[in-house]
Amino acid sequence: MIEVGSPVPEVTVHTADGVRSLEELITAPTLLVFFKRDCDTCVASLPVFHHWTGYAPAVQVLAVSQDDPADTAEFFAELGIDMPVVYDPPPYDASEAFQLLSVPSLVLVEDGGVTWASEGWQAAAVEELALALAALAGRETILVGADTLPLWKPG
């Protein structure tokens, strides 16, 4: 996993409009949520991360799907969520640039650098991140659904 303090890697992702630099999509403090549909931990945790889109516009939440757009849309519909998403198709260049070992992986980017990173579901880490996002947004902490998940679940 990429280390806190590292600059954001120069990598491209796929969007509905084509291929773009990830860096150009980050216009505010941004939480990158890397996920894959067939990951049980992603299925359980993505609804929690989805609620953090409520910190906008002060904080962006950008899902980074390792699935194709059709599978991602179907997955979001199954979960009842909708959030900004980009795609990291095989060979997963963005995931590799961030040195991910598993999904879900969360990476908070501020001012061109990584300020927080975590893999899998770790309740204490998620709570810490929720507090940090709320502080950045100047809002109350959003942790909807987090109390129904275990303390730890690997990706």
Side-chain angles (χ1 to χ4, degrees), residues 1-9 98-99 107-110 112-115:
M1 172 118 243
I2 196 165
E3 292 185 26
V4 170
S6 298
V8 174
F98 281 90
Q99 304 166 27
V107 179
L108 180 58
V109 175
E110 299 176 75
V114 174
T115 59

Side-chain angles (χ1 to χ4, degrees), residues 70-140:
D71 282 344
T72 300
E74 188 176 299
F75 181 49
F76 280 10
E78 289 168 3
L79 294 177
I81 65 172
D82 184 28
M83 56 197 301
V85 63
V86 296
Y87 307 93
D88 183 25
Y92 310 112
D93 292 337
S95 298
E96 185 176 313
F98 281 90
Q99 304 166 27
L100 305 186
L101 299 176
S102 65
V103 289
S105 286
L106 305 174
V107 179
L108 180 58
V109 175
E110 299 176 75
D111 299 320
V114 174
T115 59
W116 195 94
S118 178
E119 291 179 299
W121 173 266
Q122 301 172 47
V126 168
E127 189 171 321
E128 174 188 307
L129 178 58
L131 290 169
L133 296 174
L136 286 169
R139 300 205 180 133
E140 294 293 318

